[in-house]
Amino acid sequence: MSDFDAVQAVAEAVARGAGREAAGPVAFGEPRRYTADQVAEVAGIPSDRARRFLRALGYPAVDDGKPDFAPSDVRLLRLLTGYVDEGMVDEAEALHLTGVLARAIAQLARLQVEIVAGQMQRAPETVDTVSALAERMPEVQWLLGQLWRRRLEDALHVLDPAADPPAGRDSGVGFADVVGFTELSRDRRAGDLVRVVARFEHRSIDVVAAAGGSVVKLLGDEILFTADTPAALAEIGTGLIRAFAADPDIPGLRVGAAWGPVIRQLGDVFGTTVNLASRLTALAEPDTVLVDPALAEALGETPEFRLTAGDPADIRGIGLLTPVRLEPATPGR
């Protein structure tokens, strides 16, 4: 059974567990009875406005006239547009946040299905467990809500009047990507490649968290992270190289890091410092951390790290700059 066939089998089994045929217009027992125009009419929202939010939610059947929307989608549209109408956020912010949230949830859902697909490949006799996905929906919804609440509590410091404004304050940004990922992708079966990427992501997250940093996004063979101190950023960069030094499936990492103003919005980061970190990653040799002069200066005489200036380079979009190689002062640390 191929990876694609396994995922299809999960979808069909979940459909049966929810009491429907896979091709039927039902979402976990909820009939899909409205087209995009009809769901807008029932929600009392102009069609063009409803379509903007439906597209932000990632719904594929917005323009084809199919009855692909359920009563819960009516409530969802009323809720999202209500936040705007009440003045909590403007419409552009609401659409952006909706898109970010929808993509994150879609990734979680896909991961859940792929995990079950893998279980079906390894042990087909456990296929009955697939129908439990439908039965366990209330548990999963509670789990996601609980995680959201906890992370919201952790993020409330942004509202502290004494806190630095999040936009434009100096911060550390780093990228790490897997060396030779294109060749790795070509030589591996899809299932094996998924497991390699999962190991890269999980181990990278552990390294970033252990140093007190934050993961901004994961891009398969690449991770974007931030840190609030130069030492933490340097620890993450060298720690990532060390974490994969003996991995038989990952031929090495390139890491680039920079220190400076960072613009933060809706869980993402951007600006010149982010661009510079990305450019340095592309310049780095395998198993090497390259940092910008600002980070090197901020680290100063930190005894845990050794800094070696390289040759000046013309960084695209940045200008002439001297990259600095960052290494642990003690080999193997």
Side-chain angles (χ1 to χ4, degrees), residues 274-288:
V274 180
N275 295 338
L276 177 54
S278 177
R279 305 284 191 270
L280 290 170
T281 306
L283 287 176
E285 295 293 329
D287 293 325
T288 298

Side-chain angles (χ1 to χ4, degrees), residues 236-252:
I236 293 170
T238 55
L240 287 169
I241 297 294
R242 186 169 60 251
F244 293 97
D247 193 300
D249 296 312
I250 294 178

Side-chain angles (χ1 to χ4, degrees), residues 26-49:
V26 180
F28 281 107
E30 184 184 23
R32 297 185 182 183
R33 59 170 64 104
Y34 304 123
T35 65
D37 287 336
Q38 289 169 339
V39 79
E41 181 180 359
V42 176
I45 299 166
S47 180
D48 59 343
R49 189 184 192 197

